[in-house]
Amino acid sequence: IDKREADIVQDVFLMRSQGHSYKEICKKHGLKPQSCKNIIKNKVYIGIIEFEGKERKGSHPTLISEEMFKKVNSL
């Protein structure tokens, strides 16, 4: 895991959970809005991978708790 990228992903989730707009998050991290939205929707960060059309638990470490993921994706 790239520490710098992991820190950005974690901060994107934190900021969004605190009510920051995509515009604010993108400006802080130099991201395009679609990239920010892709990060927030990506289940890889909670340890889930898709393989052959099915979701499975991956062997990689998680960056975001499932609770945080659900909270941010419900906003």
Side-chain angles (χ1 to χ4, degrees):
I1 295 176
D2 183 290
K3 171 89 169 103
R4 183 179 169 280
E5 288 181 15
D7 289 345
I8 290 170
V9 167
Q10 290 171 328
D11 195 48
V12 165
F13 275 90
L14 179 64
M15 289 181 71
R16 189 68 185 133
S17 74
Q18 294 172 338
H20 292 275
S21 69
Y22 284 112
K23 185 176 180 179
E24 292 173 305
I25 297 167
C26 291
K27 183 176 180 181
K28 178 178 180 180
H29 293 292
L31 299 170
K32 294 180 179 178
Q34 190 59 51
S35 295
C36 190
K37 290 176 184 176
N38 289 344
I39 288 171
I40 288 173
K41 299 288 182 197
N42 193 338
K43 291 184 179 180
V44 149
Y45 302 125
I46 59 169
I48 303 294
I49 60 169
E50 187 174 320
F51 181 71
E52 295 181 350
K54 296 181 181 176
E55 290 184 353
R56 300 171 189 208
K57 180 77 175 146
S59 60
H60 60 286
T62 62
L63 294 179
I64 305 299
S65 71
E66 192 170 335
E67 294 79 24
M68 173 71 84
F69 185 85
K70 287 179 180 179
K71 177 181 179 180
V72 168
N73 277 279
S74 69
L75 297 175

